[in-house]
Amino acid sequence: MSQSSTTISDESYLASELACYLQSAAISVTLPAIQTAGQKYDAGQYLYQLPAGKLQLLALTLYLPLDTSSADISAARMTAVKSALAWHKASASQNKSTERNDIEKNRTESIDTNNKDIEPLCHDVLVVDIQLTDDEERSAAHTDSHQTKPPSRLKHDFGARYFLEDLVVDMSEAGPQLHVFSWHDWQSVLVAVQTPCELWRFLSYHLAQLQYSAISHAPSFVSEEVLAAQFLQSPSLLAPAITVDNTLIKHETQDKPNPALVTMALAYKNQSATAQMYHQHMQQAATLWSQLSAQMIAMYREKQTATDDQTQPDTLVSRWQQQLLDESLFSRHELVRTLYRHPKQSDKLRQDGYVVHQHSYESLGRHYVLIFYGQDAQANNSKAAIQPNLAKIAQDVATRLPIVELHHIVVLGIDFITEDNETFIDIDVWIQPVDTMTQRERQLTKQIQQLKKQESQKNAQRVNRQADQNAKYEDKSENNNKPAKLPQVKLSLSIPAKKDR
């Protein structure tokens, strides 16, 4: 274990985004074994409702004297982790009993209860922070909430070997397993994965690696920080986007795979040199989308305050922010790439304004309508004409889009503003939730989709017949037999999200 202290920041974009999913204030947790050992600590549980399920995070801080030996630090950490594991096991057993009672209650209240939806997916995480301090520093930290001196944190890690050799945990036990991270590794993971979606999938990946290590009796990773880098280089990173893309084609919403997705998936699969470049593009886009999302919500709240409009409660606006942040790395990349195509559009298109429809590549049921305001004040798509009608546009799209899975329409009014030779982006937002379809509506929607598919197939057959006839009178060149070269995906982020005022 390293004795060097580190004071890295815990203010990552993902840490800020997770705050939007926090269900309540931290719950204080008592760990008797640590108290018995005479160690000073703080422990609190944070409950997050992420898109895919619950994240229950136990933050444990150990306060050890500055002159503590390496052996004593290891022993104190072992006691802390064992105590947290015991608390987690007892808590999980209690929660399971409560959930079982709720299921029985629901059975008596509703004959149509679907039991498989009652127990949501969950990841339980323990983050161990070891701070080397003296009594005066710790007392000051508790009494002065505005202290400027950062804590002196000990850099340490666990890795798979720790749970094979030092603290053996039965990974075959039923019920939720407890992920254990050092504070440093947890912050590094948040910085690396960047989005709530990727964090959830990384935790599943982390659990699978721990289980593999237990089965093979050999550690499969050195540290959680290294494992996060391995996860982000895996072709499986784009698997959810590919699933959505294939479903869009099946529903006739689009006629062919997204070329950018195909190009990037092949680069990841072949571990080519461009894969790292594409990942950097996604990282940049994820950061910008996080900034834009915060800006959109802030602008909407400013307008509510200015007009004294209380029609949208704060809890609903928070759900809006969650819808924007629920996007994966690739989904954010595609949204930002659409935004940054605008400066390259023709002068006429930018003068008149235009509309782009785009799907989320994380959730099939979230659809985007990006309206680029026309610079011509008299244009149909001018800001003056569109901005007051964002809600009406969202409702109209919701009624016209025949997708069974549809749950939200996100309308963005986008304004590229140039002042003093500087360009920045302002975005208006309206998010319209869509009611779940009834069984009859689902049947009618599927019938419409089938009719569209049949019509599309007939048109394709006519085109093919005509092409066959034309081919009889045309010579075939060698190039016609060569597969089309996939385009390189480029992303240049040179325009800031918002000008500082």
Side-chain angles (χ1 to χ4, degrees):
M1 184 183 301
S2 173
Q3 274 281 39
S4 61
S5 297
T6 179
T7 54
I8 66 173
S9 172
D10 57 357
E11 292 299 321
S12 66
Y13 280 105
L14 180 50
S16 299
E17 291 185 13
L18 286 177
C20 300
Y21 299 89
L22 190 62
Q23 297 298 290
S24 63
I27 303 169
S28 181
V29 172
T30 301
L31 302 173
I34 303 180
Q35 290 179 325
T36 303
Q39 297 163 1
K40 296 178 180 178
Y41 75 99
D42 286 324
Q45 188 183 41
Y46 298 82
L47 306 178
Y48 302 90
Q49 184 60 56
L50 298 186
K54 290 182 181 179
L55 171 62
Q56 301 182 149
L57 187 146
L58 176 60
L60 170 60
T61 303
L62 279 178
Y63 300 99
L64 301 177
L66 286 169
D67 58 354
T68 306
S69 68
S70 180
D72 288 342
I73 291 174
S74 296
R77 187 175 73 157
M78 176 74 76
T79 300
V81 173
K82 282 184 175 180
S83 183
L85 285 169
W87 172 85
H88 172 257
K89 187 174 183 179
S91 178
S93 177
Q94 182 179 357
N95 290 340
K96 189 174 182 179
S97 176
T98 302
E99 289 171 0
R100 190 182 297 113
N101 292 336
D102 290 341
I103 291 174
E104 292 301 326
K105 182 179 178 182
N106 288 330
R107 279 175 178 164
T108 59
E109 291 179 350
S110 174
I111 195 169
D112 295 324
T113 298
N114 190 349
N115 292 336
K116 67 183 177 63
D117 293 329
I118 293 176
E119 294 187 0
L121 292 174
C122 181
H123 279 302
D124 294 341
V125 174
L126 168 65
V127 178
V128 181
D129 182 11
I130 301 176
Q131 298 186 12
L132 301 179
T133 182
D134 55 36
D135 290 338
E136 291 182 3
E137 285 182 346
R138 182 168 181 271
S139 177
H142 280 274
T143 56
D144 183 11
S145 60
H146 301 287
Q147 63 166 341
T148 57
K149 183 180 178 181
S152 178
R153 290 185 164 102
L154 182 72
K155 184 175 180 179
H156 63 107
D157 54 52
F158 290 96
R161 185 177 296 278
Y162 184 83
F163 297 99
L164 288 176
E165 299 176 357
D166 298 332
L167 181 60
V168 179
V169 177
D170 187 358
M171 299 300 296
S172 64
E173 284 187 355
Q177 298 287 342
L178 184 65
H179 302 261
V180 182
F181 296 86
S182 70
W183 181 90
H184 177 273
D185 278 344
W186 178 248
Q187 297 302 323
S188 297
V189 166
L190 295 185
V191 170
V193 301
Q194 290 193 282
T195 75
C197 307
E198 265 72 38
L199 175 62
W200 185 268
R201 286 192 277 270
F202 168 74
L203 289 174
S204 298
Y205 184 77
H206 177 252
L207 182 59
Q209 290 297 314
L210 287 173
Q211 292 171 338
Y212 176 78
S213 298
I215 294 171
S216 63
H217 303 289
S220 59
F221 61 94
V222 177
S223 71
E224 283 72 17
E225 183 177 2
V226 173
L227 186 66
Q230 178 181 319
F231 164 74
L232 292 171
Q233 294 168 3
S234 169
S236 62
L237 182 70
L238 297 174
I242 293 172
T243 300
V244 171
D245 202 46
N246 290 336
T247 307
L248 291 174
I249 296 171
K250 181 180 178 182
H251 286 184
E252 301 289 327
T253 306
Q254 65 185 42
D255 56 0
K256 61 181 180 179
N258 182 336
L261 180 57
V262 174
T263 301
M264 294 170 73
L266 284 174
Y268 269 77
K269 181 180 179 180
N270 299 327
Q271 294 294 296
S272 65
T274 55
Q276 184 61 34
M277 178 188 71
Y278 292 148
H279 185 67
Q280 290 175 354
H281 288 177
M282 288 194 289
Q283 287 179 314
Q284 294 169 1
T287 297
L288 184 57
W289 185 254
S290 185
Q291 295 170 346
L292 288 170
S293 299
Q295 172 189 317
M296 292 179 219
I297 297 301
M299 286 180 61
Y300 181 80
R301 282 179 170 150
E302 286 175 9
K303 290 175 184 175
Q304 275 191 307
T305 302
T307 59
D308 196 26
D309 181 9
Q310 302 300 323
T311 57
Q312 297 290 337
D314 198 58
T315 53
L316 185 58
V317 177
S318 295
R319 293 195 195 105
W320 279 20
Q321 191 165 12
Q322 289 177 13
Q323 286 298 317
L324 295 171
L325 296 177
D326 282 354
E327 300 297 354
S328 63
L329 285 172
F330 181 78
S331 199
R332 295 183 185 203
H333 176 274
E334 289 302 277
L335 287 163
V336 169
R337 197 158 68 100
T338 301
L339 290 175
Y340 277 83
R341 285 196 190 107
H342 177 73
K344 299 178 182 178
Q345 302 290 0
S346 67
D347 290 340
K348 186 178 188 312
L349 208 55
R350 284 187 278 123
Q351 284 293 323
D352 296 343
Y354 57 97
V355 180
V356 177
H357 289 261
Q358 188 162 323
H359 276 280
S360 163
Y361 280 89
E362 177 61 26
S363 173
L364 185 64
R366 188 161 46 248
H367 182 84
Y368 286 84
V369 181
L370 290 80
I371 307 174
F372 291 84
Y373 294 141
Q375 296 173 358
D376 184 351
Q378 303 303 316
N380 291 335
N381 288 323
S382 68
K383 185 173 184 177
I386 297 296
Q387 190 183 48
N389 297 305
L390 293 180
K392 184 179 179 181
I393 292 170
Q395 293 167 0
D396 184 59
V397 172
T399 58
R400 294 173 181 269
L401 200 61
I403 297 179
V404 173
E405 297 85 356
L406 190 67
H407 56 73
H408 281 89
I409 300 292
V410 182
V411 180
L412 304 180
I414 303 155
D415 196 12
F416 277 72
I417 303 171
T418 301
E419 291 181 1
D420 300 327
N421 295 322
E422 292 182 343
T423 303
F424 59 96
I425 307 174
D426 269 353
I427 302 181
D428 299 307
V429 62
W430 183 271
I431 301 180
Q432 181 69 40
V434 179
D435 293 334
T436 303
M437 289 186 179
T438 64
Q439 187 63 31
R440 178 59 178 162
E441 289 171 334
R442 286 175 180 269
Q443 292 173 350
L444 291 173
T445 300
K446 288 181 178 179
Q447 289 174 7
I448 292 172
Q449 290 173 344
Q450 289 172 354
L451 289 172
K452 284 187 174 182
K453 186 175 182 179
Q454 291 171 2
E455 184 64 27
S456 177
Q457 289 173 344
K458 289 179 181 178
N459 291 335
Q461 289 171 358
R462 284 196 293 267
V463 171
N464 290 336
R465 283 197 297 268
Q466 185 63 44
D468 290 340
Q469 292 174 1
N470 293 338
K472 294 177 181 179
Y473 304 100
E474 295 179 359
D475 293 328
K476 295 182 179 180
S477 66
E478 290 184 13
N479 291 333
N480 288 338
N481 295 324
K482 294 181 179 179
K485 184 178 180 181
L486 289 171
Q488 189 179 62
V489 184
K490 295 182 179 180
L491 182 65
S492 177
L493 306 182
S494 57
I495 302 175
K498 187 177 179 68
K499 183 176 180 181
D500 294 331
R501 294 174 177 171

